[in-house]
Amino acid sequence: MSLEYSSVDSVKKVLVYGGTHGNELSGVYLIKHWKKHPVFIKRSSFETILDEANPAAVKLCKRYVDTDLNRCFTDQILSESNPSEYEKQRAQQLNAQYGPKKSPSAIDFIIDLHNTTANNGVSFVVEDSADIFIMQSCAYVQANLGAPCRIFLTEDYPAYAVCSMAKHSLGVEIGPQPHGILRADVTLTMKRVVALLLDFTHLFNTGHEFPPTQVDDIFRTKDRVDFPRDAQGDLNGVIHPSLQDNDWSRLNPGDPIFLTLDEEVITWPGVSSSNEMYVAFVNEAAYYEKNLAFWLCTRESKQVAGLRRGATDVEK
């Protein structure tokens, strides 16, 4: 493995978001808890900011009020004049406060907290695998969490999520947890993941060098698969029991993926490429409106350069 290192500017501000989706409650209540007990999220080498991304949706315990906030950080929406939808207005407010998106003045690091109803365990949504800081942070959590941690890589798709404002952005997805409730195991795992990410950032800021490494369990998004539907477009089938709760598993041609309401088994035909395909976010409740039963992904590993702090303006 190459022994090259990348120098990255120190992190001065970390923004931890909860409530981007108002019914994903682990992040909502951890933010409330940490505001009352900030010692948990304080690190001496940077400022940690806590914010509720979509307070109106949190109040209603709904994913969103008018439209999905986590799809609103496109250039078109952020530059739209006087949008009527609440989430578009909120996106512009947040971008003005913590952005502008990807600009030199944008906040350094955003950690955006989410739950999923899918049996994902712990996963990170990464929009740019070339970001050495993010990839090294993922490797740090993988090495220290004591549980599998997968990377859901979305860099082949537009970056429109809340966390995409930052210089370094990371979405945290932990499940399974039904929307609108709290599970102890899921919420405490999220608390542990955030602690590790803050610890990593502090180590980096205070001069710790992270050697070149290999990051495994990277699942690159390749395609969306919708549910079977009838001539009117109504759903006419469900996830097959053998696929349900088997997120991150390999999907082979001929494997059952759906069971129609007439109890007909629908199998996966495979793809034209020779790549092995894997499934993620299987039967996520919030994706029904998006005509998405599960994601197809390829599985990768990546050699990541070493990381050292470039700026020297952080107190040790």
Side-chain angles (χ1 to χ4, degrees):
M1 182 183 294
S2 170
L3 296 179
E4 293 180 356
Y5 277 75
S6 290
S7 295
V8 177
D9 287 346
S10 58
V11 172
K12 297 178 176 61
K13 293 184 179 182
V14 177
L15 171 59
V16 185
Y17 267 132
T20 294
H21 296 131
N23 57 0
E24 297 177 9
L25 296 189
S26 292
V28 169
Y29 281 94
L30 284 173
I31 294 297
K32 293 178 184 290
H33 174 73
W34 292 330
K35 285 183 175 180
K36 297 174 184 175
H37 307 282
V39 64
F40 176 84
I41 49 87
K42 283 188 175 180
R43 302 293 186 275
S44 61
S45 66
F46 59 88
E47 177 186 1
T48 305
I49 302 168
L50 304 172
D51 203 353
E52 196 172 71
N54 195 337
V58 169
K59 186 175 181 179
L60 297 171
C61 197
K62 293 176 58 178
R63 183 174 175 86
Y64 55 77
V65 177
D66 294 318
T67 192
D68 193 334
L69 179 63
N70 219 31
R71 305 295 186 274
C72 284
F73 285 80
T74 64
D75 292 340
Q76 179 181 350
I77 291 175
L78 294 177
S79 61
E80 189 174 322
S81 179
N82 299 316
S84 59
E85 296 96 329
Y86 169 76
E87 277 79 13
K88 290 183 179 181
Q89 296 173 15
R90 183 64 176 155
Q92 292 182 357
Q93 293 168 1
L94 294 173
N95 190 54
Q97 185 173 3
Y98 299 118
K101 180 179 176 178
K102 297 300 185 188
S103 70
S105 60
I107 197 161
D108 297 307
F109 185 20
I110 291 180
I111 304 169
D112 190 22
L113 305 179
H114 290 265
N115 293 120
T116 174
T117 62
N119 192 32
N120 268 25
V122 177
S123 57
F124 289 141
V125 180
V126 173
E127 65 176 22
D128 182 8
S129 65
D131 186 330
I132 304 302
F133 176 87
I134 288 297
M135 296 304 290
Q136 282 280 359
S137 74
C138 291
Y140 182 83
V141 176
Q142 286 179 332
N144 291 282
L145 183 61
C149 178
R150 284 88 172 194
I151 296 170
F152 187 69
L153 182 60
T154 64
E155 66 185 5
D156 298 325
Y157 289 79
Y160 45 53
V162 169
C163 60
S164 67
M165 286 184 293
K167 296 183 181 74
H168 310 290
S169 61
L170 194 63
V172 177
E173 287 273 5
I174 304 183
Q177 178 169 286
H179 297 319
I181 75 163
L182 282 170
R183 281 182 52 152
D185 55 347
V186 169
T187 304
L188 294 180
T189 297
M190 183 175 285
K191 182 180 178 183
R192 171 72 172 148
V193 168
V194 173
L196 287 171
L197 290 169
L198 297 178
D199 289 345
F200 168 84
T201 306
H202 180 65
L203 286 170
F204 164 72
N205 269 357
T206 53
H208 182 86
E209 294 188 356
F210 297 88
T213 189
Q214 176 173 299
V215 179
D216 298 316
D217 283 338
I218 301 172
F219 292 81
R220 180 184 294 272
T221 53
K222 286 295 183 181
D223 203 1
R224 304 159 51 100
V225 178
D226 191 10
F227 290 94
R229 298 182 183 275
D230 62 21
Q232 288 72 45
D234 293 326
L235 187 145
N236 190 34
V238 296
I239 297 291
H240 192 277
S242 65
L243 183 61
Q244 181 65 51
D245 297 328
N246 281 315
D247 297 77
W248 315 115
S249 63
R250 190 172 71 184
L251 191 61
N252 300 303
D255 284 350
I257 54 174
F258 297 115
L259 188 64
T260 72
L261 300 183
D262 294 323
E263 301 188 42
E264 173 192 355
V265 175
I266 298 176
T267 61
W268 189 56
V271 293
S272 58
S273 73
S274 60
N275 291 328
E276 293 181 345
M277 303 303 291
Y278 294 78
V279 295
F281 290 94
V282 176
N283 213 12
E284 160 59 47
Y287 289 170
Y288 275 63
E289 69 174 24
K290 303 181 189 301
N291 298 333
L292 177 58
F294 57 87
W295 279 98
L296 286 175
C297 308
T298 55
R299 187 177 186 178
E300 307 173 2
S301 295
K302 182 179 176 66
Q303 305 296 324
V304 177
L307 176 70
R308 59 167 59 105
R309 193 189 74 217
T312 57
D313 55 348
V314 178
E315 293 183 2
K316 295 184 179 181

